[in-house]
Amino acid sequence: MTDSAQATAAEQRRTVRKVATASFFCNFIEWFDYATYSYFAVVIAQVFFPNDDPALALIQTFAVFALSFLLRPIGAIFWGNMGDKKGRRWSLTVAVFMMAGATFCIGLLPGYMAWGMAAPALLLLLRMIQGFSASGEYAGAATFLAEYAPTDKRGMYCSIVPASTAIGLLVGSAFATVMYTIMPEAAVNEWGWRIPFILAGPLGIGAYFVNIQLEDSPTYQAMQRALKDAEASGAAGAPERPIHCLFTKHLRKLIISIGAAMLNAVGFYVVLTYLPVYLETAVMMPKNESSLITTIALITYVAFIFASGHLSDKFGRKKMLITACVGFIVFTIPAFMLLNTANFVTVLVVELIMCLILTINDGTLSSYLSETFPTQVRYSGFALSFNVANALFGGTASFICTSLITVSGSNMAPAFYMVGVSCIALVAMILSHEHSNKDLSEI
């Protein structure tokens, strides 16, 4: 290899690392917020929904969490359309800036005792803004990174996105664990819970400055040049709107992708954000034990996620995703039986196994969705399929699980819900196509 070729290759590697850093940072901020809201859900219920019935207050808190996801499909259409028209970088940068701003404002929001009904109403409004902006972040980060990554390592690089999700949750969990360990519970309930929300402000500013130093991916720029050349030569009329193109030419892919993303949506929120609350409120484990178990599980998740990305490059996305579906169908019900023993070691082992199964899905899904759609609708297809699944099944997971336990009186209700979702995802994956190791411009 000549010196100039070596220099070019080195520059490409540096660029991919910069893109990976930007994608990681943007997605981290989103999930740090969601972790904070979930792990402090009991406190938030007391601040914004004071009630003689703690279970009802918790359901109301999770209802706000779920309602914020209603804007995700709308946000997905907006950010996906803008990401395919104006560029991946523009859409991702603006989305993360909005997300961080809304999170920061939640940290400053007075509670019910100060502002009455205006407090939960404003909490819902800010969560809606978060839901709208967050719908462009995961898809944007994954699409941006997939289009820069080497073809034979796309799964490995795209696994950085779910890894950043887990690290965001890990930092949120660590915050909760440390605060409950070193601070009186009264101080956490009064003002301590606001600290992680306020930290989103400087994090958002940092993400903005990281993003503006990057250019859009070579794949996207090549598509834009081809469109301009075709328009200049008169070979093409007005460019088709990405969303219109997605629904008219790629509807089957979109429906299958929504089905495939369902397991990620429910599995992720149940295993990594709902279980700490489940262990505390349904199993009656001490708060510090449930937080510690979640922290250990998240560290293991991050370690597993990169291995799953690498294995998806070797064996293909479809085989990995089908394996995850079967794993949840077989193991979920026995897992919840063992969780209800409330034994620390047993619960820890069960959560680690569930994390392993989840990473087989999560470490593969971002590269799978990136490879499913062609360049002109890649951001739109990824964003809409991922966010529709999360709006209908992910954001509602904690609310549905809590409600199912309340209505049925059985702590096993969430397990049956997860098995049902896993069966639907399995059918979707059987109907899907394999695009691993293809150049994205060929899809």
Side-chain angles (χ1 to χ4, degrees), residues 353-372:
I353 295 173
M354 293 187 78
C355 275
L356 174 60
I357 300 172
L358 182 62
T359 56
I360 296 173
N361 176 280
D362 292 6
T364 308
L365 185 68
S366 56
S367 52
Y368 165 79
L369 292 177
S370 298
E371 294 167 347
T372 298

Side-chain angles (χ1 to χ4, degrees), residues 236-428:
E240 190 173 5
R241 288 172 297 171
I243 290 297
H244 181 265
C245 180
L246 179 65
F247 279 104
T248 56
K249 298 181 180 179
H250 306 285
L251 183 60
R252 183 178 182 275
K253 291 181 180 179
L254 179 64
I255 293 172
I256 290 175
S257 295
I258 292 171
M262 281 175 57
L263 180 58
N264 166 267
V266 174
F268 184 88
Y269 284 99
V270 169
V271 175
L272 298 180
T273 66
Y274 171 69
L275 278 189
V277 178
Y278 175 82
L279 293 172
E280 181 185 339
T281 59
V283 181
M284 300 303 175
M285 285 190 72
K287 186 180 298 184
N288 61 332
E289 288 190 9
S290 65
S291 295
L292 178 59
I293 288 172
T294 302
T295 301
I296 296 172
L298 283 167
I299 294 172
T300 307
Y301 176 97
V302 174
F304 285 157
I305 205 81
F306 293 112
S308 296
H310 172 71
L311 290 174
S312 75
D313 285 324
K314 185 175 181 180
F315 296 108
R317 323 299 181 208
K318 185 171 181 176
K319 290 178 182 178
M320 294 288 287
L321 292 171
I322 288 176
T323 300
C325 293
V326 174
F328 274 117
I329 291 170
V330 172
F331 184 69
T332 300
I333 292 175
F336 271 78
M337 289 179 177
L338 292 170
L339 289 175
N340 280 278
T341 64
N343 177 272
F344 181 88
V345 175
T346 302
V347 171
L348 176 60
V349 172
V350 168
E351 280 212 35
L352 291 179
I353 295 173
M354 293 187 78
C355 275
L356 174 60
I357 300 172
L358 182 62
T359 56
I360 296 173
N361 176 280
D362 292 6
T364 308
L365 185 68
S366 56
S367 52
Y368 165 79
L369 292 177
S370 298
E371 294 167 347
T372 298
F373 302 96
T375 305
Q376 62 266 33
V377 295
R378 181 166 295 125
Y379 201 141
S380 298
F382 192 132
L384 193 57
S385 58
F386 184 80
N387 285 290
V388 165
N390 274 274
L392 296 178
F393 303 99
T396 60
S398 296
F399 174 73
I400 289 175
C401 290
T402 305
S403 300
L404 286 174
I405 291 173
T406 302
V407 171
S408 68
S410 171
N411 289 351
M412 292 299 298
F416 292 104
Y417 178 61
M418 276 195 68
V419 170
V421 170
S422 301
C423 290
I424 297 172
L426 178 61
V427 173

Side-chain angles (χ1 to χ4, degrees), residues 31-86:
W31 295 99
F32 175 70
D33 158 65
Y34 280 105
T36 300
Y37 191 93
S38 295
Y39 296 143
F40 287 100
V42 176
V43 179
I44 292 172
Q46 297 170 0
V47 174
F48 292 97
F49 303 97
N51 196 299
D52 293 335
D53 184 354
L56 177 60
L58 189 61
I59 288 175
Q60 291 173 325
T61 303
F62 282 133
V64 170
F65 185 84
L67 286 171
S68 69
F69 278 71
L70 293 178
L71 283 182
R72 282 210 163 198
I74 299 172
I77 292 173
F78 175 80
W79 297 114
N81 193 59
M82 298 304 290
D84 286 326
K85 288 176 64 177
K86 295 196 65 163

